[in-house]
Amino acid sequence: MAEEESQFEEFDQIDFLRDRHVRFFQRTLQVLPERYASLETTRLTIIFFALSGLDVLDALDVIDRNTMIEWIYSLQVLPTEDQVNLSRCGFRGSSHIGIPYSTKGPGVLHPYDSGHVAMTYTGLCSLLILGDDLSRVNKQACLAGLRALQLEDGSFYAVPEGSENDIRFIYCAASICYMLDDWSGMDIQKAIEYIRGSLSYDNGFGQGAGRESHGGWTYCAIASLCLMGRLEEALSQRELDRIRRWCIMRQQSGFQGRPNKPVDTCYSFWVGATLELLDVFQYTNFDKNRSFILSTQDRLVGGFAKWPDSHPDPLHAYLGLCGLSLIGEPSLRKVHPALNITQRAFQHVQQLQQTWRSSTGSCSRQH
Amino acid sequence: MSGIEEISNESVEVKEDEEFDVEAEDHLRDDFFHDPTRYIFYRDRKEWSDLEPVPQDDGPNPVVKIAYSEKFSDVYDYFRALLKNDERSERAFALTSEAIELNAANYTVWHYRRVLLQSLSKDLREEMRYITAIIEEQPKNYQVWHHRRMVVEWLNDPSEELEFIADILSQDAKNYHAWQHRQWVIQEYKLWDDELDFVENLLEEDVRNNSAWNQRHFVISHTSGFSDAMEREIQYCLCQIKKAPNNESAWNYLKGILQPLGLSSQPGLLERVLELKQTHCSPYLLAFLFDCYEDALENSKENVAEEEQQKTLKKALEICQLLAQEDTIRKEYWLFLGRSLKNKHGSSDPSSEPLADDPEPSVPASGQQEMS
């Protein structure tokens, strides 16, 4: 590189404070102050960030796995005796509806209780990270709940009552089907059409057709196609090359989410992982990326923030670590770029699926 | 009465007076308290005494537990009680407002509120005023925009939308939710007429506003289309580029509108860009040139001589070298692109120049990590 920064000046910045991050995630898993109220309905995603973060740090030994597993299972929306709520099954984000704590079925009928696609996704991930075998997951119910969320245009709602619908939830759906090794949960062809429709004139992906291209939605698009095993079927080589270009132009130091926007730690993962899936992450500048991520590290409380001198939060703490993992930070476990869990957890998924396939004696219902 | 001990901190002084105040019990039963600073928990309100509050139950070992204040828990304990019974009443509707104030991201509260809006045939115009105020305070929340969309649909009246969204954008010109809502309104209710003007004004204010450039593309593709408008749009881009050469958005737009026809399809464009290179160069300009040359190589007609091809290739490779020097953060990528292009279109002439120190050729084999 042309400029070489003084090692001494940069020493503070390049010091990766592993133990602080471990403690940051430990605290996250315990109690958060009331100002985090807006996270109530998405607490399961916060658990995922903390657990996967600890996994990336190779520090899962600091938590009590069984306690966590029980709590996650208490969030499963199970079918009632008569299965009348089947299309509402999945996982909740938290206990906010007021269903009495229970880790086993049958489900309790409640007029407003239903799963949320992002919680089903992060719930399953979290269980797998903790080494659970998903034997207490009602897979058919989860898949029925998932099918109920897909619209005609291929996108998904988050909840059966209705919500906004966009590409984020396609990614959640694809991850769920991938983990459960069962693609009956979604119409892949329609999802591919929606994804293709979200490709912008500038070769990034927006949240839907016509919308501005964005690093997060680009990740959702590409990672979904990879999980489905349809990347090269859905996109031509020329399109893939153009998408590579859009993504690689996001690097300014760290990565930005959209052209002419400031860089933000989380895009080191969203865009970085996309580039990795497209086989060109190796051509990015690792040093500048690393320097930026570490400049957002909170040296006191641990974790990472979106920008330097900002407050850390679980999402940026987790994705900051993933960003560092992608560039090969020595003390960190490798992350599977499409499923966004460690390769270690991914191997557990694969072994589990082997067991499922051999026990049924036939291939799973794949595409 | 249990309420006496549990009056909030703010009203400690009131409590002490009340011990000797004959009127105390009357005040505590009084639903319309005269002192607006004295908050009464729902559990102490007479008109709520028929309901059993429902606490959150996280079991013996809660994870990521949020430490709510008494006030917060009280409101939500009663929300959960209403929800369980699916109560449809004015008091339920009023409570959703309080619940929203405490946590506007709780999608269940919003859904329940919508159920009540319909059940009770509430005034939707008033709801529009309500949601307008909330979005102004919390413009980056998904639930509030979704709620607004639902109310607009029920009213079938988008007449306030463009102005409202313009106001939100005046505070943050790149708010993704705002732009998304704007696109929905325009497309749903066919409000295209003034949008190009709106976009141009925003681009006047900030020519680097990528959201505005995206909106420009959105409007034109859904109205006139790009065939007749092409020359005008190219002109517009080049004009903006002259004002701010290092603007990725303008270059992305230019490339984007030409891409479907092929970058080398516009006669004279290459020359105009080469001219600009002298005075308004940028990595985006250079990348555009590279893409033009690549397009020419990919789409060359049968009668293009091999020599012509090799000349184009040479120009493209020179651009790569220039990019590797000028856009250093992407140096490895530009070199990789050059190698790939050479592998694809290079002649077998051994005297052609090597590209970089690393002779490793690499067009990615299958490109991506396929999952099995």
Side-chain angles (χ1 to χ4, degrees):
Chain A
M1 286 295 112
E3 345 66 342
E4 218 79 63
E5 267 124 7
S6 151
Q7 287 268 6
F8 289 110
E9 276 172 60
E10 290 303 311
F11 182 76
D12 273 347
Q13 298 286 56
I14 62 175
D15 188 17
F16 172 65
L17 302 167
R18 180 190 179 275
D19 290 345
R20 299 262 172 182
H21 302 309
V22 172
R23 286 200 289 278
F24 178 88
F25 289 126
Q26 278 181 291
R27 284 196 311 274
T28 301
L29 288 168
Q30 289 155 7
V31 183
L32 295 178
E34 186 178 285
R35 67 174 181 275
Y36 287 88
S38 62
L39 298 181
E40 174 64 46
T41 55
T42 60
R43 278 162 64 197
L44 191 44
T45 66
I46 309 298
I47 276 110
F48 164 72
F49 294 142
L51 288 178
S52 201
L54 286 170
D55 193 9
V56 173
L57 290 163
D58 192 4
L60 276 174
D61 53 303
V62 307
I63 51 113
D64 179 343
R65 286 172 196 248
N66 290 330
T67 303
M68 302 267 158
I69 289 172
E70 291 308 297
W71 188 83
I72 295 169
Y73 272 118
S74 79
L75 297 175
Q76 188 173 190
V77 179
L78 287 162
T80 53
E81 294 268 15
D82 55 6
Q83 307 222 326
V84 70
N85 68 335
L86 210 56
S87 62
R88 288 160 54 187
C89 289
F91 281 74
R92 307 173 192 100
S94 79
S95 55
H96 72 276
I97 299 273
I99 305 285
Y101 181 88
S102 169
T103 57
K104 22 173 107 59
V108 169
L109 192 59
H110 184 293
Y112 291 92
D113 188 30
S114 52
H116 182 298
V117 76
M119 310 307 146
T120 305
Y121 151 60
T122 49
L124 291 173
C125 273
S126 300
L127 286 170
L128 291 166
I129 291 166
L130 293 168
D132 187 73
D133 64 359
L134 304 191
S135 55
R136 288 189 275 166
V137 173
N138 187 325
K139 302 184 183 71
Q140 290 313 312
C142 282
L143 292 165
L146 191 55
R147 278 191 292 274
L149 298 174
Q150 191 168 22
L151 286 90
E152 259 312 297
D153 67 5
S155 68
F156 281 77
Y157 286 133
V159 290
E161 299 81 65
S163 70
E164 68 278 13
N165 59 289
D166 55 61
I167 208 169
R168 291 173 292 157
F169 306 134
I170 294 181
Y171 174 73
C172 295
S175 298
I176 291 166
C177 289
Y178 188 86
M179 286 185 280
L180 295 180
D181 199 18
D182 189 332
W183 292 88
S184 69
M186 63 190 288
D187 182 326
I188 291 181
Q189 208 41 57
K190 289 207 173 122
I192 290 176
E193 276 161 34
Y194 188 90
I195 292 173
R196 279 199 57 84
S198 304
L199 185 56
S200 166
Y201 66 87
D202 70 359
N203 306 307
F205 288 88
Q207 212 169 21
R211 298 176 199 167
E212 190 185 1
S213 57
H214 180 290
W217 321 142
T218 301
Y219 174 80
C220 288
I222 298 295
S224 294
L225 291 174
C226 287
L227 289 171
M228 294 172 195
R230 304 288 183 100
L231 185 70
E232 287 191 321
E233 178 190 310
L235 297 164
S236 68
Q237 279 308 317
R238 182 173 297 182
E239 283 169 327
L240 289 170
D241 281 338
R242 289 170 180 165
I243 294 162
R244 288 178 178 109
R245 172 77 63 83
W246 185 89
C247 291
I248 213 155
M249 295 306 289
R250 291 315 111 235
Q251 185 169 24
Q252 308 298 306
S253 50
F255 286 79
Q256 64 192 177
R258 296 180 260 172
N260 287 320
K261 288 273 286 182
V263 289
D264 171 335
T265 295
C266 64
Y267 296 109
S268 286
F269 178 74
W270 299 131
V271 180
T274 306
L275 287 165
E276 177 64 25
L277 288 168
L278 297 175
D279 233 25
V280 289
F281 183 69
Q282 57 187 299
Y283 303 117
T284 61
N285 185 312
F286 286 16
D287 283 340
K288 292 220 149 102
N289 191 7
R290 183 175 190 274
S291 291
F292 176 73
I293 299 172
L294 288 175
S295 76
T296 70
Q297 180 178 232
D298 189 309
R299 303 185 63 78
L300 198 59
V301 306
F304 294 86
K306 63 191 302 194
W307 296 327
D309 304 315
S310 305
H311 292 297
D313 62 74
L315 179 143
H316 288 90
Y318 174 59
L319 295 176
L321 285 181
C322 290
L324 289 172
S325 165
L326 283 175
I327 60 181
E329 185 71 22
S331 50
L332 301 179
R333 285 203 158 114
K334 284 302 212 178
V335 171
H336 186 289
L339 207 46
N340 193 9
I341 55 178
T342 57
Q343 290 288 356
R344 178 208 66 80
F346 181 71
Q347 270 153 43
H348 171 65
V349 177
Q350 288 187 307
Q351 275 157 20
L352 201 55
Q353 291 176 352
Q354 285 278 60
T355 343
W356 294 343
R357 290 179 197 179
S358 51
S359 70
T360 58
S362 59
C363 278
S364 63
R365 292 165 65 188
Q366 286 219 329
H367 46 281
Chain B
M1 289 176 76
S2 64
I4 295 174
E5 299 88 72
E6 286 157 46
I7 290 169
S8 67
N9 287 339
E10 295 134 304
S11 45
V12 156
E13 282 156 58
V14 175
K15 174 192 168 185
E16 284 174 305
D17 286 340
E18 279 173 5
E19 278 173 330
F20 303 102
D21 188 343
V22 165
E23 306 280 77
E25 292 194 1
D26 287 340
H27 282 151
L28 288 165
R29 278 199 217 101
D30 195 345
D31 300 325
F32 299 99
F33 47 87
H34 303 293
D35 177 359
T37 68
R38 195 170 92 201
Y39 180 82
I40 301 179
F41 292 119
Y42 280 84
R43 62 178 185 251
D44 297 327
R45 299 187 198 186
K46 178 197 69 183
E47 73 279 17
W48 288 86
S49 58
D50 60 299
L51 262 189
E52 190 63 39
V54 177
Q56 233 178 320
D57 184 2
D58 276 312
N61 299 295
V63 188
V64 187
K65 189 172 173 58
I66 299 173
Y68 293 115
S69 63
E70 260 195 294
K71 176 175 173 176
F72 198 115
S73 303
D74 175 67
V75 170
Y76 270 89
D77 286 351
Y78 276 83
F79 168 70
R80 284 183 274 271
L82 292 167
L83 211 59
K84 185 175 170 186
N85 298 332
D86 196 6
E87 179 174 312
R88 310 283 177 96
S89 65
E90 277 301 327
R91 72 174 180 178
F93 185 76
L95 190 140
T96 62
S97 304
E98 276 218 63
I100 284 164
E101 199 179 325
L102 292 170
N103 178 11
N106 188 318
Y107 60 86
T108 308
V109 178
W110 284 108
H111 170 63
Y112 183 51
R113 188 182 174 91
R114 282 192 288 276
V115 168
L116 292 168
L117 278 169
Q118 300 201 289
S119 251
L120 307 172
S121 302
K122 299 292 288 180
D123 181 350
L124 294 179
R125 300 267 165 213
E126 195 175 329
E127 189 67 2
M128 280 298 287
R129 288 192 285 277
Y130 173 76
I131 195 63
T132 295
I134 305 243
I135 295 177
E136 292 278 354
E137 289 166 27
Q138 305 186 53
K140 295 207 170 175
N141 164 320
Y142 279 96
Q143 289 71 40
V144 299
W145 286 98
H146 177 68
H147 189 76
R148 188 184 180 97
R149 175 169 157 164
M150 297 304 293
V151 179
V152 168
E153 279 183 0
W154 290 342
L155 282 169
N156 200 32
D157 177 9
S159 61
E160 294 176 25
E161 297 317 278
L162 295 182
E163 193 181 324
F164 169 69
I165 301 163
D167 183 60
I168 297 292
L169 289 174
S170 70
Q171 296 161 49
D172 173 1
K174 302 181 184 183
N175 182 325
Y176 204 93
H177 303 271
W179 281 110
Q180 191 160 296
H181 187 78
R182 196 174 181 90
Q183 286 196 349
W184 168 73
V185 162
I186 288 174
Q187 201 156 14
E188 187 71 18
Y189 297 98
K190 305 186 187 350
L191 302 174
W192 303 99
D193 291 353
D194 301 322
E195 193 62 2
L196 191 56
D197 282 342
F198 179 73
V199 164
E200 290 214 358
N201 286 334
L202 283 181
L203 288 174
E204 272 299 298
E205 285 173 30
D206 178 9
V207 73
R208 291 179 180 82
N209 185 337
N210 196 66
S211 309
W213 281 99
N214 181 73
Q215 190 75 345
R216 189 180 184 94
H217 192 277
F218 175 73
V219 172
I220 294 177
S221 48
H222 284 93
T223 53
S224 62
F226 282 97
S227 22
D228 291 339
M230 187 60 82
E231 186 50 45
R232 180 197 77 202
E233 289 302 295
I234 293 173
Q235 260 312 109
Y236 183 80
C237 284
L238 295 178
C239 183
Q240 302 313 319
I241 286 165
K242 283 184 191 132
K243 288 189 213 165
N246 268 289
N247 181 5
E248 189 188 347
S249 300
W251 281 105
N252 284 355
Y253 186 88
L254 181 62
K255 184 168 120 174
I257 60 179
L258 291 167
Q259 202 167 256
L261 303 166
L263 294 185
S264 44
S265 66
Q266 281 299 317
L269 181 61
L270 184 64
E271 287 68 31
R272 282 152 96 179
V273 176
L274 283 168
E275 250 184 69
L276 264 184
K277 181 167 173 280
Q278 305 308 315
T279 48
H280 297 80
C281 200
S282 70
Y284 315 113
L285 184 149
L286 295 174
F288 185 88
L289 283 177
F290 175 86
D291 293 333
C292 286
Y293 294 134
E294 186 188 34
D295 188 63
L297 289 168
E298 296 275 310
N299 299 309
S300 55
K301 310 277 191 299
E302 290 293 309
N303 56 4
V304 173
E306 174 67 16
E307 205 190 317
E308 185 67 34
Q309 288 279 81
Q310 290 307 308
K311 264 198 205 163
T312 305
L313 176 63
K314 184 158 183 263
K315 285 187 225 175
L317 296 179
E318 277 165 9
I319 294 285
C320 278
Q321 290 287 48
L322 201 48
L323 277 164
Q325 287 159 31
E326 297 298 312
D327 189 27
T328 52
I329 202 165
R330 271 167 283 278
K331 174 182 169 183
E332 298 307 320
Y333 171 73
W334 298 121
L335 294 177
F336 156 69
L337 269 201
R339 288 193 301 272
S340 304
L341 198 69
K342 196 165 179 217
N343 284 332
K344 207 166 179 195
H345 297 283
S347 69
S348 42
D349 179 359
S351 68
S352 55
E353 300 210 15
L355 245 189
D357 300 341
D358 181 1
E360 181 207 325
S362 54
V363 176
S366 63
Q368 79 300 343
Q369 298 185 12
E370 280 284 359
M371 312 291 130
S372 56

